[in-house]
Amino acid sequence: MSRARGADQDLRRSQRPVRQIYPAGPGRYRPRSTKNVRAAVTPLVMWPAVVTVAVGADHRETARAELAKPHRFAAELVDVAAVFLDALHAEADPRPKPTWTTILRADTAELGSRAAANLAACVRLAWERAAPLLTALVDAPAGRVGAGGQPAPLLLHDAGVFGRYDGRGLDVLFTLAERARTRAGGRPLWLLYPTTEPSQPPRLDGALVRLVTGSDWVPLPDSWVANLHRAAGDEDALAAS
């Protein structure tokens, strides 16, 4: 699915506005005691229709892999940044202008400039192209089941692009969430985001995600990600986690 290579990596990581998709530097996200792991992951074990999952910034890749393991939640992964970049390429590549190099340069253009306005137009068209693709993934039957026999959740990761470019992708995210909430028998939709402040409401690239209540986001303990409760002999007690 992904074409995020070479110059694409510049748009995705190096050439960014001030807001960052991933917090830089060592996180302040502290491991919990293994005694608290059961309470921490209970909301996930209940297979909510829509939930945002917070993970320490240094553990995002490990958490993604753990959530996808069959004996845990068997989550089906969707790289949102890759979907968006593919859509942006599809808009830009057939046209003589703007070139991809121009788009990369415009990514750091001054707000209000012509380059920034042109980029905003490309971003809008890219989201219009990407939205049906993401909707189809939400609507599709789960390809596997989780450990509890429930349809495997669809896990959106590398999702900071939803909040970037003045949050132009947040409407897409809200629509996906509402669709997952209201479709009878549909698969759960989970959003993974790295953070250094797991007790604070979720943000994507600095933009506040307002689709959740206080009970709808789950700070995933480092101890769960690192399997410390299994190492401590709690495998059976936390079979679903």
PDB file of all heavy atoms in Angstrom, residues 44 47 51 53 63-78 142-147 150-157 187-192 224:
ATOM      1  N   LEU A  44      -9.884  -2.435  26.600  1.00  0.00           N
ATOM      2  CA  LEU A  44      -9.620  -3.073  25.322  1.00  0.00           C
ATOM      3  C   LEU A  44     -10.195  -4.486  25.291  1.00  0.00           C
ATOM      4  O   LEU A  44     -10.706  -4.935  24.259  1.00  0.00           O
ATOM      5  CB  LEU A  44      -8.106  -3.115  25.051  1.00  0.00           C
ATOM      6  CG  LEU A  44      -7.413  -1.783  24.808  1.00  0.00           C
ATOM      7  CD1 LEU A  44      -5.938  -2.009  24.511  1.00  0.00           C
ATOM      8  CD2 LEU A  44      -8.076  -1.035  23.658  1.00  0.00           C
ATOM      9  N   TRP A  47     -13.546  -4.854  23.993  1.00  0.00           N
ATOM     10  CA  TRP A  47     -13.703  -4.643  22.562  1.00  0.00           C
ATOM     11  C   TRP A  47     -14.607  -3.446  22.249  1.00  0.00           C
ATOM     12  O   TRP A  47     -15.672  -3.587  21.635  1.00  0.00           O
ATOM     13  CB  TRP A  47     -14.249  -5.906  21.879  1.00  0.00           C
ATOM     14  CG  TRP A  47     -13.330  -7.072  22.011  1.00  0.00           C
ATOM     15  CD1 TRP A  47     -13.322  -7.982  23.024  1.00  0.00           C
ATOM     16  CD2 TRP A  47     -12.259  -7.435  21.140  1.00  0.00           C
ATOM     17  NE1 TRP A  47     -12.312  -8.898  22.828  1.00  0.00           N
ATOM     18  CE2 TRP A  47     -11.648  -8.597  21.678  1.00  0.00           C
ATOM     19  CE3 TRP A  47     -11.769  -6.910  19.946  1.00  0.00           C
ATOM     20  CZ2 TRP A  47     -10.574  -9.223  21.080  1.00  0.00           C
ATOM     21  CZ3 TRP A  47     -10.690  -7.550  19.339  1.00  0.00           C
ATOM     22  CH2 TRP A  47     -10.107  -8.676  19.905  1.00  0.00           C
ATOM     23  N   VAL A  51     -11.954   3.456  20.041  1.00  0.00           N
ATOM     24  CA  VAL A  51     -11.127   3.819  21.181  1.00  0.00           C
ATOM     25  C   VAL A  51      -9.797   4.347  20.671  1.00  0.00           C
ATOM     26  O   VAL A  51      -9.319   3.940  19.609  1.00  0.00           O
ATOM     27  CB  VAL A  51     -10.897   2.607  22.121  1.00  0.00           C
ATOM     28  CG1 VAL A  51      -9.999   1.567  21.469  1.00  0.00           C
ATOM     29  CG2 VAL A  51     -10.306   3.043  23.458  1.00  0.00           C
ATOM     30  N   VAL A  53      -5.843   4.639  21.670  1.00  0.00           N
ATOM     31  CA  VAL A  53      -4.912   3.915  22.520  1.00  0.00           C
ATOM     32  C   VAL A  53      -3.615   4.713  22.623  1.00  0.00           C
ATOM     33  O   VAL A  53      -2.910   4.892  21.625  1.00  0.00           O
ATOM     34  CB  VAL A  53      -4.627   2.506  21.953  1.00  0.00           C
ATOM     35  CG1 VAL A  53      -3.715   1.734  22.906  1.00  0.00           C
ATOM     36  CG2 VAL A  53      -5.925   1.746  21.705  1.00  0.00           C
ATOM     37  N   ALA A  63       4.339  -1.510  20.535  1.00  0.00           N
ATOM     38  CA  ALA A  63       2.922  -1.597  20.882  1.00  0.00           C
ATOM     39  C   ALA A  63       2.093  -2.002  19.674  1.00  0.00           C
ATOM     40  O   ALA A  63       1.183  -2.835  19.776  1.00  0.00           O
ATOM     41  CB  ALA A  63       2.437  -0.260  21.422  1.00  0.00           C
ATOM     42  N   ARG A  64       2.392  -1.433  18.531  1.00  0.00           N
ATOM     43  CA  ARG A  64       1.666  -1.775  17.306  1.00  0.00           C
ATOM     44  C   ARG A  64       1.811  -3.263  17.003  1.00  0.00           C
ATOM     45  O   ARG A  64       0.826  -3.941  16.677  1.00  0.00           O
ATOM     46  CB  ARG A  64       2.203  -0.937  16.150  1.00  0.00           C
ATOM     47  CG  ARG A  64       1.484  -1.129  14.832  1.00  0.00           C
ATOM     48  CD  ARG A  64       2.077  -0.188  13.801  1.00  0.00           C
ATOM     49  NE  ARG A  64       3.439  -0.555  13.448  1.00  0.00           N
ATOM     50  CZ  ARG A  64       4.390   0.311  13.121  1.00  0.00           C
ATOM     51  NH1 ARG A  64       4.135   1.598  13.149  1.00  0.00           N
ATOM     52  NH2 ARG A  64       5.588  -0.103  12.797  1.00  0.00           N
ATOM     53  N   ALA A  65       3.033  -3.769  17.124  1.00  0.00           N
ATOM     54  CA  ALA A  65       3.265  -5.184  16.850  1.00  0.00           C
ATOM     55  C   ALA A  65       2.549  -6.081  17.864  1.00  0.00           C
ATOM     56  O   ALA A  65       1.994  -7.123  17.508  1.00  0.00           O
ATOM     57  CB  ALA A  65       4.763  -5.474  16.859  1.00  0.00           C
ATOM     58  N   GLU A  66       2.556  -5.675  19.141  1.00  0.00           N
ATOM     59  CA  GLU A  66       1.906  -6.484  20.174  1.00  0.00           C
ATOM     60  C   GLU A  66       0.393  -6.526  19.977  1.00  0.00           C
ATOM     61  O   GLU A  66      -0.237  -7.557  20.140  1.00  0.00           O
ATOM     62  CB  GLU A  66       2.248  -5.933  21.564  1.00  0.00           C
ATOM     63  CG  GLU A  66       3.690  -6.149  21.990  1.00  0.00           C
ATOM     64  CD  GLU A  66       4.037  -7.621  22.144  1.00  0.00           C
ATOM     65  OE1 GLU A  66       3.172  -8.398  22.596  1.00  0.00           O
ATOM     66  OE2 GLU A  66       5.170  -7.994  21.794  1.00  0.00           O
ATOM     67  N   LEU A  67      -0.208  -5.389  19.637  1.00  0.00           N
ATOM     68  CA  LEU A  67      -1.651  -5.344  19.429  1.00  0.00           C
ATOM     69  C   LEU A  67      -2.080  -6.209  18.243  1.00  0.00           C
ATOM     70  O   LEU A  67      -3.218  -6.680  18.186  1.00  0.00           O
ATOM     71  CB  LEU A  67      -2.109  -3.903  19.204  1.00  0.00           C
ATOM     72  CG  LEU A  67      -2.082  -2.998  20.446  1.00  0.00           C
ATOM     73  CD1 LEU A  67      -2.213  -1.535  20.036  1.00  0.00           C
ATOM     74  CD2 LEU A  67      -3.184  -3.376  21.429  1.00  0.00           C
ATOM     75  N   ALA A  68      -1.162  -6.418  17.312  1.00  0.00           N
ATOM     76  CA  ALA A  68      -1.477  -7.209  16.121  1.00  0.00           C
ATOM     77  C   ALA A  68      -1.258  -8.710  16.311  1.00  0.00           C
ATOM     78  O   ALA A  68      -1.677  -9.498  15.463  1.00  0.00           O
ATOM     79  CB  ALA A  68      -0.646  -6.725  14.935  1.00  0.00           C
ATOM     80  N   LYS A  69      -0.638  -9.111  17.411  1.00  0.00           N
ATOM     81  CA  LYS A  69      -0.373 -10.540  17.612  1.00  0.00           C
ATOM     82  C   LYS A  69      -1.668 -11.315  17.831  1.00  0.00           C
ATOM     83  O   LYS A  69      -2.562 -10.858  18.539  1.00  0.00           O
ATOM     84  CB  LYS A  69       0.574 -10.727  18.795  1.00  0.00           C
ATOM     85  CG  LYS A  69       2.005 -10.295  18.494  1.00  0.00           C
ATOM     86  CD  LYS A  69       2.927 -10.557  19.682  1.00  0.00           C
ATOM     87  CE  LYS A  69       4.377 -10.208  19.324  1.00  0.00           C
ATOM     88  NZ  LYS A  69       5.289 -10.424  20.456  1.00  0.00           N
ATOM     89  N   PRO A  70      -1.791 -12.503  17.231  1.00  0.00           N
ATOM     90  CA  PRO A  70      -3.036 -13.282  17.337  1.00  0.00           C
ATOM     91  C   PRO A  70      -3.455 -13.592  18.760  1.00  0.00           C
ATOM     92  O   PRO A  70      -4.650 -13.613  19.061  1.00  0.00           O
ATOM     93  CB  PRO A  70      -2.715 -14.558  16.550  1.00  0.00           C
ATOM     94  CG  PRO A  70      -1.646 -14.154  15.587  1.00  0.00           C
ATOM     95  CD  PRO A  70      -0.812 -13.147  16.334  1.00  0.00           C
ATOM     96  N   HIS A  71      -2.502 -13.833  19.671  1.00  0.00           N
ATOM     97  CA  HIS A  71      -2.872 -14.194  21.033  1.00  0.00           C
ATOM     98  C   HIS A  71      -3.223 -12.962  21.872  1.00  0.00           C
ATOM     99  O   HIS A  71      -3.634 -13.111  23.022  1.00  0.00           O
ATOM    100  CB  HIS A  71      -1.746 -14.980  21.708  1.00  0.00           C
ATOM    101  CG  HIS A  71      -0.523 -14.159  22.018  1.00  0.00           C
ATOM    102  ND1 HIS A  71       0.439 -13.888  21.074  1.00  0.00           N
ATOM    103  CD2 HIS A  71      -0.127 -13.545  23.167  1.00  0.00           C
ATOM    104  CE1 HIS A  71       1.390 -13.147  21.620  1.00  0.00           C
ATOM    105  NE2 HIS A  71       1.073 -12.925  22.891  1.00  0.00           N
ATOM    106  N   ARG A  72      -3.069 -11.792  21.292  1.00  0.00           N
ATOM    107  CA  ARG A  72      -3.453 -10.575  22.008  1.00  0.00           C
ATOM    108  C   ARG A  72      -4.745 -10.044  21.391  1.00  0.00           C
ATOM    109  O   ARG A  72      -5.822 -10.511  21.722  1.00  0.00           O
ATOM    110  CB  ARG A  72      -2.315  -9.563  21.986  1.00  0.00           C
ATOM    111  CG  ARG A  72      -1.027 -10.136  22.619  1.00  0.00           C
ATOM    112  CD  ARG A  72      -0.066  -9.098  23.120  1.00  0.00           C
ATOM    113  NE  ARG A  72      -0.015  -9.089  24.576  1.00  0.00           N
ATOM    114  CZ  ARG A  72       0.866  -8.378  25.271  1.00  0.00           C
ATOM    115  NH1 ARG A  72       1.728  -7.604  24.648  1.00  0.00           N
ATOM    116  NH2 ARG A  72       0.864  -8.419  26.577  1.00  0.00           N
ATOM    117  N   PHE A  73      -4.680  -9.103  20.450  1.00  0.00           N
ATOM    118  CA  PHE A  73      -5.919  -8.581  19.875  1.00  0.00           C
ATOM    119  C   PHE A  73      -6.040  -8.812  18.376  1.00  0.00           C
ATOM    120  O   PHE A  73      -7.075  -8.493  17.790  1.00  0.00           O
ATOM    121  CB  PHE A  73      -6.049  -7.096  20.185  1.00  0.00           C
ATOM    122  CG  PHE A  73      -6.221  -6.814  21.651  1.00  0.00           C
ATOM    123  CD1 PHE A  73      -5.159  -6.373  22.420  1.00  0.00           C
ATOM    124  CD2 PHE A  73      -7.443  -7.023  22.274  1.00  0.00           C
ATOM    125  CE1 PHE A  73      -5.306  -6.128  23.775  1.00  0.00           C
ATOM    126  CE2 PHE A  73      -7.603  -6.784  23.625  1.00  0.00           C
ATOM    127  CZ  PHE A  73      -6.541  -6.336  24.387  1.00  0.00           C
ATOM    128  N   ALA A  74      -4.991  -9.355  17.749  1.00  0.00           N
ATOM    129  CA  ALA A  74      -5.029  -9.670  16.318  1.00  0.00           C
ATOM    130  C   ALA A  74      -5.441  -8.476  15.467  1.00  0.00           C
ATOM    131  O   ALA A  74      -6.098  -8.621  14.435  1.00  0.00           O
ATOM    132  CB  ALA A  74      -5.970 -10.850  16.057  1.00  0.00           C
ATOM    133  N   ALA A  75      -5.062  -7.285  15.892  1.00  0.00           N
ATOM    134  CA  ALA A  75      -5.469  -6.069  15.185  1.00  0.00           C
ATOM    135  C   ALA A  75      -4.934  -6.073  13.756  1.00  0.00           C
ATOM    136  O   ALA A  75      -3.813  -6.503  13.481  1.00  0.00           O
ATOM    137  CB  ALA A  75      -4.950  -4.841  15.924  1.00  0.00           C
ATOM    138  N   GLU A  76      -5.780  -5.588  12.846  1.00  0.00           N
ATOM    139  CA  GLU A  76      -5.372  -5.412  11.460  1.00  0.00           C
ATOM    140  C   GLU A  76      -4.879  -3.978  11.287  1.00  0.00           C
ATOM    141  O   GLU A  76      -5.587  -3.022  11.604  1.00  0.00           O
ATOM    142  CB  GLU A  76      -6.543  -5.719  10.529  1.00  0.00           C
ATOM    143  CG  GLU A  76      -6.987  -7.171  10.639  1.00  0.00           C
ATOM    144  CD  GLU A  76      -8.064  -7.515   9.626  1.00  0.00           C
ATOM    145  OE1 GLU A  76      -7.965  -7.055   8.472  1.00  0.00           O
ATOM    146  OE2 GLU A  76      -8.998  -8.244   9.991  1.00  0.00           O
ATOM    147  N   LEU A  77      -3.658  -3.832  10.789  1.00  0.00           N
ATOM    148  CA  LEU A  77      -2.970  -2.547  10.802  1.00  0.00           C
ATOM    149  C   LEU A  77      -3.245  -1.729   9.543  1.00  0.00           C
ATOM    150  O   LEU A  77      -3.248  -2.264   8.429  1.00  0.00           O
ATOM    151  CB  LEU A  77      -1.462  -2.768  10.943  1.00  0.00           C
ATOM    152  CG  LEU A  77      -1.016  -3.621  12.139  1.00  0.00           C
ATOM    153  CD1 LEU A  77       0.502  -3.765  12.147  1.00  0.00           C
ATOM    154  CD2 LEU A  77      -1.499  -3.018  13.447  1.00  0.00           C
ATOM    155  N   VAL A  78      -3.442  -0.433   9.745  1.00  0.00           N
ATOM    156  CA  VAL A  78      -3.598   0.503   8.633  1.00  0.00           C
ATOM    157  C   VAL A  78      -2.656   1.679   8.873  1.00  0.00           C
ATOM    158  O   VAL A  78      -2.796   2.407   9.864  1.00  0.00           O
ATOM    159  CB  VAL A  78      -5.041   1.022   8.505  1.00  0.00           C
ATOM    160  CG1 VAL A  78      -5.129   2.041   7.364  1.00  0.00           C
ATOM    161  CG2 VAL A  78      -6.000  -0.129   8.258  1.00  0.00           C
ATOM    162  N   ALA A 142     -13.899  -8.185   9.117  1.00  0.00           N
ATOM    163  CA  ALA A 142     -12.575  -8.456   9.677  1.00  0.00           C
ATOM    164  C   ALA A 142     -11.995  -9.726   9.056  1.00  0.00           C
ATOM    165  O   ALA A 142     -12.700 -10.721   8.866  1.00  0.00           O
ATOM    166  CB  ALA A 142     -12.658  -8.604  11.193  1.00  0.00           C
ATOM    167  N   GLY A 143     -10.728  -9.668   8.734  1.00  0.00           N
ATOM    168  CA  GLY A 143     -10.083 -10.829   8.130  1.00  0.00           C
ATOM    169  C   GLY A 143      -9.716 -11.901   9.127  1.00  0.00           C
ATOM    170  O   GLY A 143      -9.332 -13.009   8.737  1.00  0.00           O
ATOM    171  N   ARG A 144      -9.809 -11.587  10.408  1.00  0.00           N
ATOM    172  CA  ARG A 144      -9.505 -12.558  11.449  1.00  0.00           C
ATOM    173  C   ARG A 144     -10.219 -12.154  12.722  1.00  0.00           C
ATOM    174  O   ARG A 144     -10.824 -11.089  12.783  1.00  0.00           O
ATOM    175  CB  ARG A 144      -7.989 -12.647  11.685  1.00  0.00           C
ATOM    176  CG  ARG A 144      -7.307 -11.301  11.886  1.00  0.00           C
ATOM    177  CD  ARG A 144      -5.805 -11.446  11.963  1.00  0.00           C
ATOM    178  NE  ARG A 144      -5.121 -10.156  12.014  1.00  0.00           N
ATOM    179  CZ  ARG A 144      -3.818 -10.032  12.168  1.00  0.00           C
ATOM    180  NH1 ARG A 144      -3.052 -11.098  12.292  1.00  0.00           N
ATOM    181  NH2 ARG A 144      -3.261  -8.841  12.198  1.00  0.00           N
ATOM    182  N   VAL A 145     -10.160 -13.027  13.713  1.00  0.00           N
ATOM    183  CA  VAL A 145     -10.802 -12.741  14.994  1.00  0.00           C
ATOM    184  C   VAL A 145      -9.733 -12.629  16.061  1.00  0.00           C
ATOM    185  O   VAL A 145      -8.639 -13.172  15.941  1.00  0.00           O
ATOM    186  CB  VAL A 145     -11.827 -13.829  15.383  1.00  0.00           C
ATOM    187  CG1 VAL A 145     -12.954 -13.870  14.368  1.00  0.00           C
ATOM    188  CG2 VAL A 145     -11.147 -15.190  15.493  1.00  0.00           C
ATOM    189  N   GLY A 146     -10.086 -11.883  17.115  1.00  0.00           N
ATOM    190  CA  GLY A 146      -9.168 -11.739  18.233  1.00  0.00           C
ATOM    191  C   GLY A 146      -9.247 -12.927  19.168  1.00  0.00           C
ATOM    192  O   GLY A 146     -10.004 -13.889  18.944  1.00  0.00           O
ATOM    193  N   ALA A 147      -8.459 -12.844  20.242  1.00  0.00           N
ATOM    194  CA  ALA A 147      -8.381 -13.965  21.181  1.00  0.00           C
ATOM    195  C   ALA A 147      -9.722 -14.267  21.822  1.00  0.00           C
ATOM    196  O   ALA A 147      -9.997 -15.401  22.188  1.00  0.00           O
ATOM    197  CB  ALA A 147      -7.335 -13.661  22.258  1.00  0.00           C
ATOM    198  N   GLN A 150     -13.961 -12.177  19.060  1.00  0.00           N
ATOM    199  CA  GLN A 150     -14.589 -10.996  18.484  1.00  0.00           C
ATOM    200  C   GLN A 150     -13.885 -10.614  17.179  1.00  0.00           C
ATOM    201  O   GLN A 150     -12.738 -10.995  16.945  1.00  0.00           O
ATOM    202  CB  GLN A 150     -14.502  -9.825  19.466  1.00  0.00           C
ATOM    203  CG  GLN A 150     -15.159 -10.076  20.804  1.00  0.00           C
ATOM    204  CD  GLN A 150     -16.666 -10.169  20.675  1.00  0.00           C
ATOM    205  OE1 GLN A 150     -17.259  -9.536  19.803  1.00  0.00           O
ATOM    206  NE2 GLN A 150     -17.292 -10.959  21.529  1.00  0.00           N
ATOM    207  N   PRO A 151     -14.566  -9.884  16.280  1.00  0.00           N
ATOM    208  CA  PRO A 151     -13.883  -9.416  15.064  1.00  0.00           C
ATOM    209  C   PRO A 151     -12.647  -8.602  15.427  1.00  0.00           C
ATOM    210  O   PRO A 151     -12.675  -7.769  16.318  1.00  0.00           O
ATOM    211  CB  PRO A 151     -14.945  -8.538  14.382  1.00  0.00           C
ATOM    212  CG  PRO A 151     -16.246  -9.025  14.914  1.00  0.00           C
ATOM    213  CD  PRO A 151     -15.977  -9.456  16.332  1.00  0.00           C
ATOM    214  N   ALA A 152     -11.563  -8.862  14.737  1.00  0.00           N
ATOM    215  CA  ALA A 152     -10.317  -8.150  15.027  1.00  0.00           C
ATOM    216  C   ALA A 152     -10.486  -6.663  14.771  1.00  0.00           C
ATOM    217  O   ALA A 152     -11.101  -6.261  13.777  1.00  0.00           O
ATOM    218  CB  ALA A 152      -9.193  -8.705  14.166  1.00  0.00           C
ATOM    219  N   PRO A 153      -9.966  -5.818  15.644  1.00  0.00           N
ATOM    220  CA  PRO A 153     -10.085  -4.371  15.425  1.00  0.00           C
ATOM    221  C   PRO A 153      -9.214  -3.902  14.273  1.00  0.00           C
ATOM    222  O   PRO A 153      -8.205  -4.525  13.931  1.00  0.00           O
ATOM    223  CB  PRO A 153      -9.592  -3.786  16.755  1.00  0.00           C
ATOM    224  CG  PRO A 153      -8.664  -4.816  17.297  1.00  0.00           C
ATOM    225  CD  PRO A 153      -9.235  -6.136  16.883  1.00  0.00           C
ATOM    226  N   LEU A 154      -9.633  -2.804  13.673  1.00  0.00           N
ATOM    227  CA  LEU A 154      -8.825  -2.121  12.682  1.00  0.00           C
ATOM    228  C   LEU A 154      -8.013  -1.072  13.430  1.00  0.00           C
ATOM    229  O   LEU A 154      -8.582  -0.184  14.082  1.00  0.00           O
ATOM    230  CB  LEU A 154      -9.732  -1.454  11.647  1.00  0.00           C
ATOM    231  CG  LEU A 154      -9.095  -1.024  10.326  1.00  0.00           C
ATOM    232  CD1 LEU A 154      -8.666  -2.238   9.513  1.00  0.00           C
ATOM    233  CD2 LEU A 154     -10.074  -0.174   9.522  1.00  0.00           C
ATOM    234  N   LEU A 155      -6.707  -1.185  13.382  1.00  0.00           N
ATOM    235  CA  LEU A 155      -5.831  -0.297  14.157  1.00  0.00           C
ATOM    236  C   LEU A 155      -5.183   0.727  13.238  1.00  0.00           C
ATOM    237  O   LEU A 155      -4.330   0.396  12.416  1.00  0.00           O
ATOM    238  CB  LEU A 155      -4.760  -1.114  14.880  1.00  0.00           C
ATOM    239  CG  LEU A 155      -3.809  -0.311  15.764  1.00  0.00           C
ATOM    240  CD1 LEU A 155      -4.551   0.258  16.968  1.00  0.00           C
ATOM    241  CD2 LEU A 155      -2.628  -1.172  16.230  1.00  0.00           C
ATOM    242  N   LEU A 156      -5.579   1.973  13.390  1.00  0.00           N
ATOM    243  CA  LEU A 156      -4.981   3.067  12.634  1.00  0.00           C
ATOM    244  C   LEU A 156      -3.714   3.519  13.342  1.00  0.00           C
ATOM    245  O   LEU A 156      -3.744   3.862  14.521  1.00  0.00           O
ATOM    246  CB  LEU A 156      -5.958   4.240  12.529  1.00  0.00           C
ATOM    247  CG  LEU A 156      -7.348   3.943  11.961  1.00  0.00           C
ATOM    248  CD1 LEU A 156      -8.179   5.227  11.927  1.00  0.00           C
ATOM    249  CD2 LEU A 156      -7.265   3.307  10.587  1.00  0.00           C
ATOM    250  N   HIS A 157      -2.602   3.514  12.634  1.00  0.00           N
ATOM    251  CA  HIS A 157      -1.336   3.966  13.234  1.00  0.00           C
ATOM    252  C   HIS A 157      -0.658   4.956  12.293  1.00  0.00           C
ATOM    253  O   HIS A 157      -1.106   5.170  11.174  1.00  0.00           O
ATOM    254  CB  HIS A 157      -0.416   2.773  13.539  1.00  0.00           C
ATOM    255  CG  HIS A 157       0.033   2.016  12.320  1.00  0.00           C
ATOM    256  ND1 HIS A 157       1.182   2.333  11.637  1.00  0.00           N
ATOM    257  CD2 HIS A 157      -0.522   0.957  11.673  1.00  0.00           C
ATOM    258  CE1 HIS A 157       1.335   1.504  10.606  1.00  0.00           C
ATOM    259  NE2 HIS A 157       0.310   0.654  10.605  1.00  0.00           N
ATOM    260  N   ARG A 187     -16.599  -4.080  12.771  1.00  0.00           N
ATOM    261  CA  ARG A 187     -15.374  -4.290  13.539  1.00  0.00           C
ATOM    262  C   ARG A 187     -15.036  -3.053  14.364  1.00  0.00           C
ATOM    263  O   ARG A 187     -15.391  -1.931  13.989  1.00  0.00           O
ATOM    264  CB  ARG A 187     -14.213  -4.606  12.594  1.00  0.00           C
ATOM    265  CG  ARG A 187     -13.839  -3.442  11.713  1.00  0.00           C
ATOM    266  CD  ARG A 187     -12.502  -3.655  11.038  1.00  0.00           C
ATOM    267  NE  ARG A 187     -12.611  -4.623   9.966  1.00  0.00           N
ATOM    268  CZ  ARG A 187     -11.582  -4.981   9.203  1.00  0.00           C
ATOM    269  NH1 ARG A 187     -10.392  -4.440   9.407  1.00  0.00           N
ATOM    270  NH2 ARG A 187     -11.721  -5.858   8.256  1.00  0.00           N
ATOM    271  N   PRO A 188     -14.341  -3.227  15.479  1.00  0.00           N
ATOM    272  CA  PRO A 188     -13.898  -2.070  16.261  1.00  0.00           C
ATOM    273  C   PRO A 188     -12.861  -1.252  15.482  1.00  0.00           C
ATOM    274  O   PRO A 188     -12.103  -1.791  14.676  1.00  0.00           O
ATOM    275  CB  PRO A 188     -13.276  -2.706  17.512  1.00  0.00           C
ATOM    276  CG  PRO A 188     -13.820  -4.090  17.571  1.00  0.00           C
ATOM    277  CD  PRO A 188     -14.022  -4.504  16.148  1.00  0.00           C
ATOM    278  N   LEU A 189     -12.840   0.039  15.743  1.00  0.00           N
ATOM    279  CA  LEU A 189     -11.860   0.936  15.149  1.00  0.00           C
ATOM    280  C   LEU A 189     -11.016   1.527  16.263  1.00  0.00           C
ATOM    281  O   LEU A 189     -11.532   2.227  17.137  1.00  0.00           O
ATOM    282  CB  LEU A 189     -12.564   2.060  14.375  1.00  0.00           C
ATOM    283  CG  LEU A 189     -11.647   3.091  13.707  1.00  0.00           C
ATOM    284  CD1 LEU A 189     -10.834   2.443  12.587  1.00  0.00           C
ATOM    285  CD2 LEU A 189     -12.460   4.270  13.167  1.00  0.00           C
ATOM    286  N   TRP A 190      -9.729   1.235  16.240  1.00  0.00           N
ATOM    287  CA  TRP A 190      -8.821   1.713  17.273  1.00  0.00           C
ATOM    288  C   TRP A 190      -7.789   2.633  16.641  1.00  0.00           C
ATOM    289  O   TRP A 190      -7.325   2.415  15.527  1.00  0.00           O
ATOM    290  CB  TRP A 190      -8.114   0.552  17.967  1.00  0.00           C
ATOM    291  CG  TRP A 190      -9.033  -0.342  18.741  1.00  0.00           C
ATOM    292  CD1 TRP A 190     -10.393  -0.217  18.879  1.00  0.00           C
ATOM    293  CD2 TRP A 190      -8.668  -1.508  19.475  1.00  0.00           C
ATOM    294  NE1 TRP A 190     -10.890  -1.230  19.652  1.00  0.00           N
ATOM    295  CE2 TRP A 190      -9.866  -2.040  20.036  1.00  0.00           C
ATOM    296  CE3 TRP A 190      -7.465  -2.168  19.709  1.00  0.00           C
ATOM    297  CZ2 TRP A 190      -9.866  -3.196  20.810  1.00  0.00           C
ATOM    298  CZ3 TRP A 190      -7.457  -3.312  20.488  1.00  0.00           C
ATOM    299  CH2 TRP A 190      -8.655  -3.813  21.034  1.00  0.00           C
ATOM    300  N   LEU A 191      -7.433   3.669  17.378  1.00  0.00           N
ATOM    301  CA  LEU A 191      -6.459   4.657  16.917  1.00  0.00           C
ATOM    302  C   LEU A 191      -5.278   4.656  17.880  1.00  0.00           C
ATOM    303  O   LEU A 191      -5.436   4.953  19.064  1.00  0.00           O
ATOM    304  CB  LEU A 191      -7.110   6.037  16.865  1.00  0.00           C
ATOM    305  CG  LEU A 191      -6.195   7.225  16.552  1.00  0.00           C
ATOM    306  CD1 LEU A 191      -5.746   7.174  15.090  1.00  0.00           C
ATOM    307  CD2 LEU A 191      -6.914   8.548  16.839  1.00  0.00           C
ATOM    308  N   LEU A 192      -4.108   4.329  17.384  1.00  0.00           N
ATOM    309  CA  LEU A 192      -2.895   4.293  18.211  1.00  0.00           C
ATOM    310  C   LEU A 192      -2.145   5.604  18.054  1.00  0.00           C
ATOM    311  O   LEU A 192      -1.876   6.045  16.937  1.00  0.00           O
ATOM    312  CB  LEU A 192      -2.010   3.129  17.782  1.00  0.00           C
ATOM    313  CG  LEU A 192      -0.720   2.911  18.586  1.00  0.00           C
ATOM    314  CD1 LEU A 192      -1.038   2.455  20.005  1.00  0.00           C
ATOM    315  CD2 LEU A 192       0.189   1.901  17.887  1.00  0.00           C
ATOM    316  N   TRP A 224       2.671  -3.697  29.833  1.00  0.00           N
ATOM    317  CA  TRP A 224       1.917  -4.560  28.926  1.00  0.00           C
ATOM    318  C   TRP A 224       2.659  -4.715  27.605  1.00  0.00           C
ATOM    319  O   TRP A 224       2.789  -5.819  27.082  1.00  0.00           O
ATOM    320  CB  TRP A 224       0.530  -3.979  28.683  1.00  0.00           C
ATOM    321  CG  TRP A 224      -0.365  -4.867  27.857  1.00  0.00           C
ATOM    322  CD1 TRP A 224      -1.220  -5.824  28.309  1.00  0.00           C
ATOM    323  CD2 TRP A 224      -0.474  -4.885  26.432  1.00  0.00           C
ATOM    324  NE1 TRP A 224      -1.858  -6.437  27.252  1.00  0.00           N
ATOM    325  CE2 TRP A 224      -1.421  -5.871  26.079  1.00  0.00           C
ATOM    326  CE3 TRP A 224       0.139  -4.150  25.406  1.00  0.00           C
ATOM    327  CZ2 TRP A 224      -1.773  -6.154  24.764  1.00  0.00           C
ATOM    328  CZ3 TRP A 224      -0.216  -4.432  24.080  1.00  0.00           C
ATOM    329  CH2 TRP A 224      -1.154  -5.417  23.773  1.00  0.00           C
TER     330      TRP A 224
END
